[in-house]
Amino acid sequence: MTSDSCLKLDSSFRDPCGFIFNRNAKLLRQINFVYQNNYDFFLKSGLCEKLQSIGYLVKHKEVDIKLAFDKKAYKIIEPEKIPFISYPYGWSFGQLKDAALLTLEMEILALKYGMTLKDATAYNVQFLDNKPIFIDTLSFEIYKEGQPWVAYKQFCQHFLAPLLLMSYKDIRLGQLLKIYLDGIPLDLASKLLPFKTKLNPKILANIHLHAGYQNRFSGVNKKIGAFKLSKISLLALIDNLKSTINGIKLNTKRTEWSDYYEKNNNYLSKALKKKLKLVESYVDEIKPKSVCDLGGNTGKFSRLASKKGILTISLDIDPLAVEYNYQYNKQHKEKNILPLILDLTNPNAGKGWNNTERQSFFERKHFSMCLCLALIHHLTISNNIPFCKTALFLSKVCDWLVIEFVPKSDSQVKKLLLNREDIFIDYTQKYFEAEFGHFFKVVKSSKINGSKRVLYLMKSKRK
Amino acid sequence: MASIFFLILFVSLIVPQQVEAYLDPGTGSQIFQMILASIVVIGFFVKSFFRQIKFFLIKIFKKKKSDL
């Protein structure tokens, strides 16, 4: 049955109940016979319909069994396509918190319908129009009276520990999820969290004591029978986790970028309006299918594209700026936009087994257009990345580029050079155009009135 | 209240149950989960009880208002 156009996804191999594969450019999920009873119950109990109707679970349709990858197949389903797959280490605090709450809500509903979640990995959640959505249809199994929640440890590692570290220690600690793909080890979280968290009974229990028990039983060399846990006790545990997660708040001290528009006095409102208009005109002219706003800050320019129905990924290195972006989009019910944390000087690489389980960021999508606004001076001067390196990289990841050149006379560049030697003799508009000219064709350029900056529309020569 | 707690703890801990899952739940995590769940269930009972009273009272007040 396997053919050349049929390929299993590298991220889908851990669960023997099924996997995701590509067949003739269609993304399909094979459900193996081993999962038959659970899948049938999932449908018959009405849980699947309920979760899909309230937007908690990705919709799917059953397709011809002839499309199966191999003979183990009981059913083949085609899930609704998620436009861009994101990973927890790209999410802001609010995104991770919403994903955690969704997972717990799913478990509560599953128990109500006689099922339970057999895993609670954050990778089972994606974002659609700023709402978390569960994507693993095979995560449900029939609940057996008395069984504990097998995913309790995983939930604490994937959600609770990083949220607490971001809240009580430093928002940047969410990036630990890049190293620990199966969630932050609880003993590490326990060591990193401040003492005051031990005075909070919920954190004391779910992190500190939990970590202690893990350590205590890690070297046990004899089989310990699992124990019975009543359904009401299980619901109480989930309720406890839910109120713990709900109680975690973000310390909203402003970071470098999160107040950029408010503090940046380079942009008189007239210049900002002109820039917005120019970027919008470039987007209207090209009509890209997808946009990636590199250094998108709180998403002001990203929304120019997303409001036109264009899939827009709004990236920023600052987790707080991304958090503001996400909360704004949520509050204003914005669609087609996904804010994510990304350090452009060190984009997320391939991770996990064989370095292919989790794809690198730019492997996941080639963008029709990239916005590179008020960014070039940070890359060139703050990070010493020559124009040619930036141009080469950008020409690989997009077809069209909207890029803003910020000259040395601009107060933001002056600020960057204030207390360091100016070694950037090539940082001129002329050299910028020459270096980018190797990889891009300049289609349009326009001065931004009210500032000293220039906005370019360029076309990649690779296209 | 204490007797209820120990009864739940006792019932929760005595009967072995084999868990079949592809995910390793972790021995320490499982044991700790049992203990924690047996404790928080008391608060959960109390919370649910007061919630039911609240709903009951809201229902009565709503009914009275609509009667008026």
Side-chain angles (χ1 to χ4, degrees):
Chain A
M1 266 186 244
T2 311
S3 72
D4 287 341
S5 59
C6 198
L7 199 67
K8 267 191 195 183
L9 254 64
D10 283 339
S11 58
S12 185
F13 63 89
R14 290 187 195 272
D15 187 355
C17 297
F19 53 87
I20 292 272
F21 65 104
N22 266 311
R23 183 181 274 279
N24 303 328
K26 272 188 178 176
L27 197 68
L28 303 172
R29 186 186 285 278
Q30 175 164 314
I31 299 167
N32 290 337
F33 276 109
V34 70
Y35 190 69
Q36 181 178 351
N37 290 344
N38 286 302
Y39 183 69
D40 289 345
F41 190 85
F42 183 51
L43 296 186
K44 274 180 203 157
S45 65
L47 177 61
C48 179
E49 198 186 337
K50 172 73 182 171
L51 293 173
Q52 287 179 338
S53 68
I54 54 176
Y56 281 10
L57 178 70
V58 74
K59 287 184 177 155
H60 71 259
K61 59 176 183 190
E62 278 186 24
V63 293
D64 196 342
I65 193 73
K66 284 177 189 158
L67 295 171
F69 186 88
D70 58 30
K71 286 175 182 170
K72 289 179 187 168
Y74 168 59
K75 296 267 185 195
I76 302 296
I77 59 171
E78 185 181 355
E80 192 183 319
K81 208 169 180 184
I82 303 291
F84 187 84
I85 296 294
S86 61
Y87 300 140
Y89 41 84
W91 299 345
S92 70
F93 174 86
Q95 286 171 310
L96 188 63
K97 185 172 170 175
D98 287 349
L101 290 171
L102 173 80
T103 305
L104 294 174
E105 284 296 336
M106 303 271 292
E107 173 64 358
I108 293 169
L109 272 169
L111 285 168
K112 206 172 159 185
Y113 282 79
M115 297 199 90
T116 183
L117 280 178
K118 63 180 184 183
D119 53 18
T121 158
Y123 294 89
N124 278 347
V125 182
Q126 288 299 322
F127 282 86
L128 256 185
D129 293 332
N130 297 293
K131 281 184 200 147
I133 186 162
F134 206 80
I135 56 163
D136 190 0
T137 316
L138 310 189
S139 274
F140 303 86
E141 64 182 7
I142 297 167
Y143 170 74
K144 290 171 202 150
E145 192 61 43
Q147 81 174 83
W149 192 28
V150 285
Y152 171 63
K153 178 184 104 174
Q154 196 177 41
F155 180 86
C156 291
Q157 291 183 168
H158 278 243
F159 296 106
L160 188 58
L163 284 170
L164 287 169
L165 287 168
M166 280 192 259
S167 169
Y168 283 92
K169 203 76 184 174
D170 193 303
I171 191 171
R172 289 168 295 182
L173 284 173
Q175 293 299 300
L176 279 177
L177 289 170
K178 265 188 199 176
I179 307 167
Y180 299 105
L181 292 189
D182 197 23
I184 300 171
L186 297 185
D187 62 322
L188 178 63
S190 177
K191 275 181 198 162
L192 292 174
L193 283 168
F195 179 78
K196 67 176 177 183
T197 56
K198 289 185 179 170
L199 305 176
N200 178 324
K202 287 172 183 168
I203 305 173
L204 173 71
N206 288 301
I207 297 288
H208 299 294
L209 294 178
H210 188 176
Y213 264 78
Q214 280 185 339
N215 287 347
R216 197 173 150 196
F217 287 93
S218 63
V220 170
N221 204 12
K222 64 174 184 181
K223 192 171 169 64
I224 296 173
F227 310 98
K228 259 200 167 181
L229 186 68
S230 66
K231 198 170 185 176
I232 191 79
S233 298
L234 188 52
L235 279 167
L237 180 82
I238 307 299
D239 185 68
N240 176 272
L241 284 171
K242 204 174 142 186
S243 63
T244 310
I245 297 284
N246 267 322
I248 308 171
K249 306 280 181 227
L250 190 62
N251 182 0
T252 50
K253 257 196 258 167
R254 287 187 171 259
T255 58
E256 193 181 0
W257 304 108
S258 56
D259 54 356
Y260 183 79
Y261 295 121
E262 292 82 1
K263 275 197 174 172
N264 182 0
N265 46 21
N266 277 286
Y267 276 119
L268 304 167
S269 61
K270 195 178 131 197
L272 185 62
K273 275 181 194 162
K274 166 80 178 169
K275 186 171 156 184
L276 280 163
K277 220 172 170 184
L278 259 177
V279 173
E280 190 169 15
S281 71
Y282 291 166
V283 171
D284 285 340
E285 191 177 327
I286 305 305
K287 294 184 177 55
K289 280 184 183 161
S290 57
V291 166
C292 185
D293 188 357
L294 308 165
N297 197 258
T298 51
K300 202 177 183 74
F301 287 89
S302 313
R303 284 186 284 275
L304 286 176
S306 64
K307 279 185 190 295
K308 295 175 192 298
I310 301 164
L311 168 70
T312 307
I313 309 300
S314 186
L315 303 173
D316 206 278
I317 190 173
D318 178 3
L320 206 49
V322 176
E323 174 69 4
Y324 286 150
N325 194 352
Y326 174 66
Q327 296 299 346
Y328 179 95
N329 297 332
K330 234 175 96 172
Q331 198 184 335
H332 293 85
K333 296 189 168 47
E334 295 284 341
K335 291 184 184 295
N336 313 305
I337 180 168
L338 176 64
L340 292 172
I341 301 164
L342 188 95
D343 177 359
L344 206 56
T345 62
N346 181 22
N348 300 335
K351 290 185 185 298
W353 183 250
N354 198 29
N355 284 132
T356 54
E357 194 178 350
R358 307 289 168 214
Q359 284 183 302
S360 74
F361 185 86
F362 289 102
E363 219 179 327
R364 279 175 258 162
K365 191 156 192 74
H366 180 84
F367 293 93
S368 311
M369 180 183 270
C370 272
L371 303 182
C372 202
L373 309 171
L375 186 70
I376 192 72
H377 53 307
H378 294 294
L379 294 177
T380 315
I381 293 171
S382 305
N383 291 285
N384 296 55
I385 299 168
F387 286 145
C388 63
K389 290 252 179 214
T390 307
L392 171 65
F393 163 73
L394 291 171
S395 70
K396 282 183 193 170
V397 299
C398 67
D399 299 328
W400 292 89
L401 175 66
V402 176
I403 188 163
E404 182 181 19
F405 180 74
V406 187
K408 272 189 182 172
S409 55
D410 188 281
S411 66
Q412 286 296 310
V413 181
K414 280 182 184 167
K415 208 163 104 185
L416 294 179
L417 290 168
L418 196 63
N419 289 310
R420 66 173 294 180
E421 192 185 341
D422 182 2
I423 53 162
F424 306 97
I425 46 166
D426 289 335
Y427 191 86
T428 63
Q429 190 178 344
K430 203 177 160 190
Y431 193 63
F432 165 81
E433 286 179 5
E435 290 292 82
F436 271 74
H438 294 306
F439 304 97
F440 288 95
K441 186 184 164 209
V442 176
V443 180
K444 273 184 180 173
S445 69
S446 180
K447 268 200 85 176
I448 302 169
N449 294 341
S451 83
K452 291 166 181 170
R453 304 177 176 197
V454 184
L455 196 68
Y456 293 86
L457 173 65
M458 299 184 183
K459 186 183 178 184
S460 171
K461 286 183 177 172
R462 286 171 188 265
K463 197 183 183 240
Chain B
M1 190 59 91
S3 58
I4 296 172
F5 167 68
F6 285 113
L7 180 70
I8 292 162
L9 191 67
F10 180 69
V11 171
S12 299
L13 294 178
I14 48 166
V15 193
Q17 167 96 11
Q18 198 58 49
V19 178
E20 291 161 10
Y22 84 97
L23 190 72
D24 177 12
T27 312
S29 285
Q30 272 197 90
I31 294 169
F32 180 72
Q33 181 187 160
M34 300 293 166
I35 297 167
L36 180 63
S38 305
I39 295 167
V40 295
V41 75
I42 301 161
F44 188 67
F45 273 134
V46 176
K47 204 169 143 184
S48 305
F49 176 69
F50 281 110
R51 199 180 288 163
Q52 273 177 346
I53 290 178
K54 196 178 147 190
F55 286 143
F56 179 69
L57 291 174
I58 289 169
K59 214 175 166 185
I60 288 175
F61 279 114
K62 269 190 179 171
K63 208 179 174 186
K64 273 189 180 173
K65 268 190 182 176
S66 61
D67 287 348
L68 286 169

